[in-house]
PDB file of all heavy atoms in Angstrom:
ATOM      1  N   ARG A 215      -1.589   6.724  -5.260  1.00 94.00           N
ATOM      2  CA  ARG A 215      -2.283   7.313  -4.113  1.00 94.00           C
ATOM      3  C   ARG A 215      -2.611   6.204  -3.130  1.00 94.00           C
ATOM      4  O   ARG A 215      -3.170   5.174  -3.510  1.00 94.00           O
ATOM      5  CB  ARG A 215      -3.564   8.018  -4.556  1.00 94.00           C
ATOM      6  CG  ARG A 215      -3.345   9.247  -5.408  1.00 94.00           C
ATOM      7  CD  ARG A 215      -2.642  10.370  -4.697  1.00 94.00           C
ATOM      8  NE  ARG A 215      -3.403  10.827  -3.548  1.00 94.00           N
ATOM      9  CZ  ARG A 215      -2.937  11.663  -2.634  1.00 94.00           C
ATOM     10  NH1 ARG A 215      -1.724  12.126  -2.711  1.00 94.00           N
ATOM     11  NH2 ARG A 215      -3.686  12.028  -1.610  1.00 94.00           N
ATOM     12  N   ALA A 216      -2.243   6.409  -1.862  1.00 97.00           N
ATOM     13  CA  ALA A 216      -2.510   5.434  -0.819  1.00 97.00           C
ATOM     14  C   ALA A 216      -2.494   6.147   0.525  1.00 97.00           C
ATOM     15  O   ALA A 216      -1.942   7.248   0.640  1.00 97.00           O
ATOM     16  CB  ALA A 216      -1.450   4.333  -0.843  1.00 97.00           C
ATOM     17  N   LEU A 217      -3.101   5.533   1.532  1.00 97.00           N
ATOM     18  CA  LEU A 217      -3.002   6.053   2.889  1.00 97.00           C
ATOM     19  C   LEU A 217      -1.667   5.600   3.464  1.00 97.00           C
ATOM     20  O   LEU A 217      -1.313   4.422   3.358  1.00 97.00           O
ATOM     21  CB  LEU A 217      -4.136   5.525   3.760  1.00 97.00           C
ATOM     22  CG  LEU A 217      -5.538   6.013   3.444  1.00 97.00           C
ATOM     23  CD1 LEU A 217      -6.550   5.337   4.363  1.00 97.00           C
ATOM     24  CD2 LEU A 217      -5.635   7.516   3.579  1.00 97.00           C
ATOM     25  N   VAL A 218      -0.925   6.526   4.054  1.00 96.00           N
ATOM     26  CA  VAL A 218       0.397   6.234   4.602  1.00 96.00           C
ATOM     27  C   VAL A 218       0.451   6.761   6.021  1.00 96.00           C
ATOM     28  O   VAL A 218       0.086   7.913   6.271  1.00 96.00           O
ATOM     29  CB  VAL A 218       1.508   6.929   3.773  1.00 96.00           C
ATOM     30  CG1 VAL A 218       2.874   6.621   4.357  1.00 96.00           C
ATOM     31  CG2 VAL A 218       1.436   6.534   2.316  1.00 96.00           C
ATOM     32  N   ALA A 219       0.930   5.921   6.952  1.00 95.00           N
ATOM     33  CA  ALA A 219       1.044   6.368   8.337  1.00 95.00           C
ATOM     34  C   ALA A 219       2.070   5.523   9.076  1.00 95.00           C
ATOM     35  O   ALA A 219       2.225   4.329   8.797  1.00 95.00           O
ATOM     36  CB  ALA A 219      -0.308   6.266   9.046  1.00 95.00           C
ATOM     37  N   SER A 220       2.744   6.146  10.012  1.00 94.00           N
ATOM     38  CA  SER A 220       3.629   5.416  10.900  1.00 94.00           C
ATOM     39  C   SER A 220       2.757   4.595  11.840  1.00 94.00           C
ATOM     40  O   SER A 220       1.832   5.120  12.454  1.00 94.00           O
ATOM     41  CB  SER A 220       4.496   6.405  11.682  1.00 94.00           C
ATOM     42  OG  SER A 220       5.298   5.702  12.597  1.00 94.00           O
ATOM     43  N   LEU A 221       3.025   3.296  11.924  1.00 94.00           N
ATOM     44  CA  LEU A 221       2.271   2.420  12.823  1.00 94.00           C
ATOM     45  C   LEU A 221       2.955   2.335  14.183  1.00 94.00           C
ATOM     46  O   LEU A 221       2.308   2.152  15.202  1.00 94.00           O
ATOM     47  CB  LEU A 221       2.123   1.030  12.215  1.00 94.00           C
ATOM     48  CG  LEU A 221       1.398   0.973  10.866  1.00 94.00           C
ATOM     49  CD1 LEU A 221       1.374  -0.446  10.324  1.00 94.00           C
ATOM     50  CD2 LEU A 221      -0.018   1.527  10.988  1.00 94.00           C
ATOM     51  N   ARG A 222       4.256   2.436  14.159  1.00 93.00           N
ATOM     52  CA  ARG A 222       5.093   2.492  15.364  1.00 93.00           C
ATOM     53  C   ARG A 222       6.485   2.876  14.875  1.00 93.00           C
ATOM     54  O   ARG A 222       6.739   2.841  13.675  1.00 93.00           O
ATOM     55  CB  ARG A 222       5.095   1.164  16.114  1.00 93.00           C
ATOM     56  CG  ARG A 222       5.687  -0.013  15.358  1.00 93.00           C
ATOM     57  CD  ARG A 222       5.868  -1.194  16.294  1.00 93.00           C
ATOM     58  NE  ARG A 222       6.209  -2.418  15.653  1.00 93.00           N
ATOM     59  CZ  ARG A 222       7.418  -2.754  15.188  1.00 93.00           C
ATOM     60  NH1 ARG A 222       8.413  -1.887  15.243  1.00 93.00           N
ATOM     61  NH2 ARG A 222       7.628  -3.927  14.630  1.00 93.00           N
ATOM     62  N   PRO A 223       7.400   3.228  15.757  1.00 92.00           N
ATOM     63  CA  PRO A 223       8.751   3.564  15.279  1.00 92.00           C
ATOM     64  C   PRO A 223       9.348   2.413  14.462  1.00 92.00           C
ATOM     65  O   PRO A 223       9.309   1.257  14.882  1.00 92.00           O
ATOM     66  CB  PRO A 223       9.536   3.805  16.578  1.00 92.00           C
ATOM     67  CG  PRO A 223       8.498   4.246  17.552  1.00 92.00           C
ATOM     68  CD  PRO A 223       7.263   3.445  17.200  1.00 92.00           C
ATOM     69  N   GLY A 224       9.829   2.756  13.276  1.00 93.00           N
ATOM     70  CA  GLY A 224      10.430   1.760  12.407  1.00 93.00           C
ATOM     71  C   GLY A 224       9.464   1.010  11.514  1.00 93.00           C
ATOM     72  O   GLY A 224       9.889   0.208  10.695  1.00 93.00           O
ATOM     73  N   ARG A 225       8.163   1.262  11.639  1.00 95.00           N
ATOM     74  CA  ARG A 225       7.171   0.553  10.821  1.00 95.00           C
ATOM     75  C   ARG A 225       6.168   1.550  10.249  1.00 95.00           C
ATOM     76  O   ARG A 225       5.497   2.255  10.987  1.00 95.00           O
ATOM     77  CB  ARG A 225       6.430  -0.489  11.635  1.00 95.00           C
ATOM     78  CG  ARG A 225       5.354  -1.223  10.817  1.00 95.00           C
ATOM     79  CD  ARG A 225       4.661  -2.288  11.610  1.00 95.00           C
ATOM     80  NE  ARG A 225       5.554  -3.428  11.768  1.00 95.00           N
ATOM     81  CZ  ARG A 225       5.273  -4.499  12.512  1.00 95.00           C
ATOM     82  NH1 ARG A 225       4.133  -4.563  13.169  1.00 95.00           N
ATOM     83  NH2 ARG A 225       6.138  -5.490  12.598  1.00 95.00           N
ATOM     84  N   VAL A 226       6.081   1.562   8.914  1.00 97.00           N
ATOM     85  CA  VAL A 226       5.118   2.421   8.222  1.00 97.00           C
ATOM     86  C   VAL A 226       4.084   1.533   7.545  1.00 97.00           C
ATOM     87  O   VAL A 226       4.435   0.539   6.900  1.00 97.00           O
ATOM     88  CB  VAL A 226       5.823   3.323   7.181  1.00 97.00           C
ATOM     89  CG1 VAL A 226       4.810   4.146   6.390  1.00 97.00           C
ATOM     90  CG2 VAL A 226       6.841   4.232   7.862  1.00 97.00           C
ATOM     91  N   GLY A 227       2.818   1.883   7.714  1.00 97.00           N
ATOM     92  CA  GLY A 227       1.734   1.154   7.080  1.00 97.00           C
ATOM     93  C   GLY A 227       1.201   1.917   5.881  1.00 97.00           C
ATOM     94  O   GLY A 227       1.151   3.147   5.892  1.00 97.00           O
ATOM     95  N   VAL A 228       0.834   1.175   4.856  1.00 98.00           N
ATOM     96  CA  VAL A 228       0.300   1.766   3.628  1.00 98.00           C
ATOM     97  C   VAL A 228      -0.939   0.967   3.236  1.00 98.00           C
ATOM     98  O   VAL A 228      -0.883  -0.264   3.189  1.00 98.00           O
ATOM     99  CB  VAL A 228       1.341   1.709   2.481  1.00 98.00           C
ATOM    100  CG1 VAL A 228       0.797   2.407   1.236  1.00 98.00           C
ATOM    101  CG2 VAL A 228       2.678   2.300   2.903  1.00 98.00           C
ATOM    102  N   LEU A 229      -2.040   1.646   2.987  1.00 98.00           N
ATOM    103  CA  LEU A 229      -3.243   0.988   2.480  1.00 98.00           C
ATOM    104  C   LEU A 229      -3.405   1.410   1.026  1.00 98.00           C
ATOM    105  O   LEU A 229      -3.644   2.583   0.731  1.00 98.00           O
ATOM    106  CB  LEU A 229      -4.480   1.362   3.297  1.00 98.00           C
ATOM    107  CG  LEU A 229      -5.762   0.627   2.897  1.00 98.00           C
ATOM    108  CD1 LEU A 229      -5.609  -0.893   3.096  1.00 98.00           C
ATOM    109  CD2 LEU A 229      -6.948   1.154   3.681  1.00 98.00           C
ATOM    110  N   VAL A 230      -3.227   0.429   0.131  1.00 97.00           N
ATOM    111  CA  VAL A 230      -3.214   0.703  -1.307  1.00 97.00           C
ATOM    112  C   VAL A 230      -4.512   0.230  -1.950  1.00 97.00           C
ATOM    113  O   VAL A 230      -4.836  -0.953  -1.880  1.00 97.00           O
ATOM    114  CB  VAL A 230      -2.024  -0.025  -1.986  1.00 97.00           C
ATOM    115  CG1 VAL A 230      -1.996   0.264  -3.479  1.00 97.00           C
ATOM    116  CG2 VAL A 230      -0.704   0.348  -1.340  1.00 97.00           C
ATOM    117  N   PRO A 231      -5.266   1.144  -2.588  1.00 97.00           N
ATOM    118  CA  PRO A 231      -6.403   0.709  -3.400  1.00 97.00           C
ATOM    119  C   PRO A 231      -5.867   0.139  -4.724  1.00 97.00           C
ATOM    120  O   PRO A 231      -5.064   0.783  -5.403  1.00 97.00           O
ATOM    121  CB  PRO A 231      -7.199   1.984  -3.657  1.00 97.00           C
ATOM    122  CG  PRO A 231      -6.540   3.064  -2.861  1.00 97.00           C
ATOM    123  CD  PRO A 231      -5.176   2.590  -2.496  1.00 97.00           C
ATOM    124  N   LEU A 232      -6.265  -1.068  -5.050  1.00 95.00           N
ATOM    125  CA  LEU A 232      -5.759  -1.708  -6.265  1.00 95.00           C
ATOM    126  C   LEU A 232      -6.583  -1.295  -7.473  1.00 95.00           C
ATOM    127  O   LEU A 232      -7.789  -1.075  -7.360  1.00 95.00           O
ATOM    128  CB  LEU A 232      -5.801  -3.228  -6.103  1.00 95.00           C
ATOM    129  CG  LEU A 232      -4.902  -3.787  -4.995  1.00 95.00           C
ATOM    130  CD1 LEU A 232      -5.159  -5.282  -4.815  1.00 95.00           C
ATOM    131  CD2 LEU A 232      -3.443  -3.521  -5.303  1.00 95.00           C
ATOM    132  N   PRO A 233      -5.936  -1.196  -8.639  1.00 88.00           N
ATOM    133  CA  PRO A 233      -6.689  -0.853  -9.855  1.00 88.00           C
ATOM    134  C   PRO A 233      -7.620  -1.999 -10.240  1.00 88.00           C
ATOM    135  O   PRO A 233      -7.299  -3.169 -10.035  1.00 88.00           O
ATOM    136  CB  PRO A 233      -5.597  -0.647 -10.912  1.00 88.00           C
ATOM    137  CG  PRO A 233      -4.392  -1.360 -10.388  1.00 88.00           C
ATOM    138  CD  PRO A 233      -4.513  -1.398  -8.896  1.00 88.00           C
ATOM    139  N   GLU A 234      -8.767  -1.639 -10.760  1.00 86.00           N
ATOM    140  CA  GLU A 234      -9.751  -2.645 -11.185  1.00 86.00           C
ATOM    141  C   GLU A 234      -9.197  -3.470 -12.344  1.00 86.00           C
ATOM    142  O   GLU A 234      -8.686  -2.927 -13.319  1.00 86.00           O
ATOM    143  CB  GLU A 234     -11.061  -1.968 -11.628  1.00 86.00           C
ATOM    144  CG  GLU A 234     -11.860  -1.387 -10.485  1.00 86.00           C
ATOM    145  CD  GLU A 234     -12.411  -2.432  -9.529  1.00 86.00           C
ATOM    146  OE1 GLU A 234     -12.747  -3.549  -9.979  1.00 86.00           O
ATOM    147  OE2 GLU A 234     -12.493  -2.126  -8.335  1.00 86.00           O
ATOM    148  N   GLY A 235      -9.297  -4.781 -12.205  1.00 82.00           N
ATOM    149  CA  GLY A 235      -8.955  -5.671 -13.309  1.00 82.00           C
ATOM    150  C   GLY A 235      -7.476  -5.821 -13.611  1.00 82.00           C
ATOM    151  O   GLY A 235      -7.109  -6.585 -14.492  1.00 82.00           O
ATOM    152  N   GLY A 236      -6.616  -5.115 -12.903  1.00 79.00           N
ATOM    153  CA  GLY A 236      -5.188  -5.224 -13.180  1.00 79.00           C
ATOM    154  C   GLY A 236      -4.527  -6.277 -12.309  1.00 79.00           C
ATOM    155  O   GLY A 236      -5.126  -6.803 -11.371  1.00 79.00           O
ATOM    156  N   ASP A 237      -3.292  -6.581 -12.616  1.00 88.00           N
ATOM    157  CA  ASP A 237      -2.516  -7.522 -11.825  1.00 88.00           C
ATOM    158  C   ASP A 237      -1.930  -6.763 -10.637  1.00 88.00           C
ATOM    159  O   ASP A 237      -1.113  -5.855 -10.818  1.00 88.00           O
ATOM    160  CB  ASP A 237      -1.400  -8.112 -12.692  1.00 88.00           C
ATOM    161  CG  ASP A 237      -0.530  -9.101 -11.948  1.00 88.00           C
ATOM    162  OD1 ASP A 237      -0.772  -9.349 -10.749  1.00 88.00           O
ATOM    163  OD2 ASP A 237       0.402  -9.630 -12.578  1.00 88.00           O
ATOM    164  N   PRO A 238      -2.342  -7.086  -9.409  1.00 92.00           N
ATOM    165  CA  PRO A 238      -1.847  -6.347  -8.243  1.00 92.00           C
ATOM    166  C   PRO A 238      -0.332  -6.391  -8.099  1.00 92.00           C
ATOM    167  O   PRO A 238       0.272  -5.436  -7.627  1.00 92.00           O
ATOM    168  CB  PRO A 238      -2.511  -7.042  -7.052  1.00 92.00           C
ATOM    169  CG  PRO A 238      -3.548  -7.924  -7.588  1.00 92.00           C
ATOM    170  CD  PRO A 238      -3.270  -8.147  -9.036  1.00 92.00           C
ATOM    171  N   SER A 239       0.296  -7.490  -8.541  1.00 94.00           N
ATOM    172  CA  SER A 239       1.746  -7.607  -8.366  1.00 94.00           C
ATOM    173  C   SER A 239       2.508  -6.551  -9.153  1.00 94.00           C
ATOM    174  O   SER A 239       3.590  -6.140  -8.745  1.00 94.00           O
ATOM    175  CB  SER A 239       2.228  -9.012  -8.720  1.00 94.00           C
ATOM    176  OG  SER A 239       2.061  -9.257 -10.098  1.00 94.00           O
ATOM    177  N   VAL A 240       1.949  -6.088 -10.263  1.00 94.00           N
ATOM    178  CA  VAL A 240       2.613  -5.046 -11.057  1.00 94.00           C
ATOM    179  C   VAL A 240       2.681  -3.752 -10.245  1.00 94.00           C
ATOM    180  O   VAL A 240       3.752  -3.142 -10.111  1.00 94.00           O
ATOM    181  CB  VAL A 240       1.890  -4.825 -12.409  1.00 94.00           C
ATOM    182  CG1 VAL A 240       2.457  -3.633 -13.150  1.00 94.00           C
ATOM    183  CG2 VAL A 240       1.961  -6.083 -13.267  1.00 94.00           C
ATOM    184  N   LEU A 241       1.538  -3.343  -9.681  1.00 95.00           N
ATOM    185  CA  LEU A 241       1.508  -2.119  -8.872  1.00 95.00           C
ATOM    186  C   LEU A 241       2.349  -2.281  -7.611  1.00 95.00           C
ATOM    187  O   LEU A 241       3.120  -1.385  -7.243  1.00 95.00           O
ATOM    188  CB  LEU A 241       0.069  -1.752  -8.499  1.00 95.00           C
ATOM    189  CG  LEU A 241      -0.077  -0.557  -7.547  1.00 95.00           C
ATOM    190  CD1 LEU A 241       0.442   0.728  -8.193  1.00 95.00           C
ATOM    191  CD2 LEU A 241      -1.514  -0.395  -7.108  1.00 95.00           C
ATOM    192  N   LEU A 242       2.240  -3.414  -6.935  1.00 96.00           N
ATOM    193  CA  LEU A 242       2.975  -3.624  -5.693  1.00 96.00           C
ATOM    194  C   LEU A 242       4.486  -3.647  -5.929  1.00 96.00           C
ATOM    195  O   LEU A 242       5.259  -3.128  -5.119  1.00 96.00           O
ATOM    196  CB  LEU A 242       2.498  -4.902  -5.013  1.00 96.00           C
ATOM    197  CG  LEU A 242       1.060  -4.841  -4.503  1.00 96.00           C
ATOM    198  CD1 LEU A 242       0.566  -6.217  -4.084  1.00 96.00           C
ATOM    199  CD2 LEU A 242       0.919  -3.838  -3.377  1.00 96.00           C
ATOM    200  N   THR A 243       4.915  -4.228  -7.042  1.00 96.00           N
ATOM    201  CA  THR A 243       6.347  -4.231  -7.373  1.00 96.00           C
ATOM    202  C   THR A 243       6.821  -2.809  -7.644  1.00 96.00           C
ATOM    203  O   THR A 243       7.884  -2.401  -7.156  1.00 96.00           O
ATOM    204  CB  THR A 243       6.620  -5.135  -8.595  1.00 96.00           C
ATOM    205  OG1 THR A 243       6.244  -6.473  -8.261  1.00 96.00           O
ATOM    206  CG2 THR A 243       8.084  -5.100  -8.999  1.00 96.00           C
TER     207      THR A 243
END
């Protein structure tokens, strides 16, 4: 679950809440 929106044509922005205590790179990958 994340906020997803077009920021401009060709670019989409995503705001991801990271899980507590986990390695962010696992979720981001």
Side-chain angles (χ1 to χ4, degrees):
R215 293 295 299 170
L217 292 177
V218 180
S220 177
L221 300 177
R222 63 169 170 77
R225 178 178 286 175
V226 176
V228 184
L229 185 62
V230 180
L232 296 173
E234 288 294 327
D237 180 0
S239 67
V240 173
L241 175 64
L242 293 169
T243 298

